[in-house]
Amino acid sequence: RVNLMKNPLLAKLLAFAGVILTGIPVIAPLIFGIISSVNGNGFRLDYMMPAELFIVVLFGAALLIWASIRAKQLIKPIVWTLGVSVFFLIACQLVAQISGLADGRIESSGPYFVVVLSMLILFDLGVIGLTVLGGMLISRIFLAQNKK
């Protein structure tokens, strides 16, 4: 069923690079948290790092989309996951701006904070989803190549 292009090397390279780029903003906060813990400062997780490194996520997602198109695999799930993730990031920023959380007019507590934090977490989960889908894409490319 899988009809890969004659040379799947480019799709593999694109998928690997996409997984690395979408994974960095997810893995880096964990690594920094472990380092902080080892240094005796307790485990601190920067859950905002995927949003702060959005350009890296976006570039990685673009590579995953390119690889998925070349491999004719997982195009819709990758595009939808990126789209929903970007929606939550933009909505999170809009609610923070409109509510006054972004400029400090209101405290970081209450219902607006919960909504903003929830959308940020959904964005983070979307980035994790993109990384997982990229891993699945790599697996499918290798499996399809081995079937030939």
Side-chain angles (χ1 to χ4, degrees), residues 30-42:
L30 296 173
I31 292 170
F32 293 142
I34 291 169
I35 291 170
S36 174
S37 180
V38 168
N39 288 337
N41 298 325

Side-chain angles (χ1 to χ4, degrees), residues 108-129:
S108 296
S109 62
Y112 286 117
F113 180 71
V114 171
V115 169
V116 168
L117 189 59
S118 298
M119 286 190 284
L120 185 60
I121 289 169
L122 289 170
F123 169 75
D124 291 349
L125 290 173
V127 174
I128 292 168

Side-chain angles (χ1 to χ4, degrees), residues 10-29 50 53 55-68 73-74 78 124 126-142:
L10 180 59
K12 287 180 193 176
L13 292 174
L14 292 169
F16 272 117
V19 166
I20 289 168
L21 290 175
T22 57
I24 285 173
V26 174
I27 300 297
L53 295 175
I55 192 72
V56 176
V57 171
L58 188 61
F59 189 65
L63 293 177
L64 288 177
I65 291 169
W66 187 6
S68 69
Q73 291 286 316
L74 298 173
I78 291 172
D124 291 349
V127 174
I128 292 168
L130 283 170
T131 306
V132 169
L133 285 167
M136 291 171 57
L137 180 61
I138 291 168
S139 173
R140 288 186 180 194
I141 293 170
F142 275 98

